[in-house]
Amino acid sequence: DRSSPTNVVTWTVEPTRVYRLEVAETVTNNTEWVDSGLGVMLSGPNPTLTREVIETNATHQFFRAIAIVPLQP
């Protein structure tokens, strides 16, 4: 039993990228990844990015961070 319905996800980032966190219940060749609901995130000054994610009723949750090269003006 957990005292909080949240978990923390941390990943390494590059300052020239923005990130989107996706989630899935299983990981196979046919996995359908969906947006975690956190939107696009700036990397910031630190070498890692940490976000709190809400736990669902799923038995497992897998996360992946997608790096996006921002559009240049």
Side-chain angles (χ1 to χ4, degrees):
D1 186 54
R2 294 179 186 250
S3 59
S4 172
T6 60
N7 289 307
V8 175
V9 177
T10 300
W11 65 96
T12 303
V13 296
E14 292 291 328
T16 57
R17 303 287 186 267
V18 294
Y19 293 86
R20 183 178 68 237
L21 193 63
E22 296 181 338
V23 62
E25 291 183 13
T26 62
V27 178
T28 67
N29 288 338
N30 299 321
T31 295
E32 183 177 333
W33 293 91
V34 295
D35 186 75
S36 65
L38 296 174
V40 175
M41 297 165 271
L42 299 174
S43 57
N46 298 319
T48 61
L49 195 59
T50 299
R51 290 293 182 266
E52 210 171 78
V53 292
I54 301 212
E55 196 173 298
T56 66
N57 291 331
T59 305
H60 297 93
Q61 282 185 293
F62 298 90
F63 295 91
R64 72 176 182 183
I66 303 296
I68 304 166
V69 178
L71 295 174
Q72 299 299 319

